[in-house]
Amino acid sequence: MGVNGIGKSTLLRTLGNVQPKLSGSIDVKGKSLESYRSYELATEISLVLTEPIASKNLTVLELICLGRQPYTNWLGSLSQTDKEKITAAIEMVRLEELQHKKCYELSDGQLQKVMIARAVAQDTSIMLLDEPTTHLDLYHKAQILKLLQQIAHTTNKTIVYTTHEIELGLQLADKMLLMKKGETSFGTPKQLIENGEFESMFPTDTITFDPKTASFKINK
């Protein structure tokens, strides 16, 4: 989490090997990120980015099936295991009634759930999502973030996402990386609040943070 332009998406895309790192090193399961071949990395990390999908003419089921691409042969044939993973993802994200609809028929919130289901079907231990609640209303923002929390806790996956929804994150995230100019803070929401990390996030003449309610207030 952090203000606009602080580098949240850059960090996430670097962790997913979508763009080269600026410095430092990244290891996945004790192995350098750069040493992974593309298909190998696709079995370890799944990505849900903000770019639009290539074709909204796909059905929900067809799009979720693409999550199994790292495991299929050159013909893209789905094994019984692949089909089971796809079915499990559809059930987990509760998309049974939408699976035969075209993606262009979906709302933004529904399409975001489909993209999450594709990542679940990919069955990686790490899921990275860039701004998964962008353009959604408050109800759908909370629904998506509660879904991610449920997936993390029931499947033992590590889910990392960037967001501007700080107050929702404080309620739902297990741990947070707070990015500020020249420094970062990492810990549970409770630890970050107790350490006063949110008080200096915005100019205090405009916005202040109330640690008792874990919310921001606009100074009138």
Side-chain angles (χ1 to χ4, degrees), residues 133 137-147 168 172:
T133 57
D137 60 38
L138 181 60
Y139 168 74
H140 287 96
K141 288 179 193 292
Q143 188 183 53
I144 291 294
L145 295 183
K146 285 182 70 176
L147 172 63
L168 285 175
L172 295 170

Side-chain angles (χ1 to χ4, degrees), residues 17 43 47-48 51 72 81 85 88 110 115 142 150 192 194 196 208 213 218:
N17 208 31
T43 65
L47 294 165
V48 179
E51 286 82 356
T72 58
T81 298
K85 296 286 186 183
Q110 289 172 330
M115 300 302 288
Q150 175 200 350
L192 295 178
E194 290 175 348
T208 55
T213 60
I218 299 173

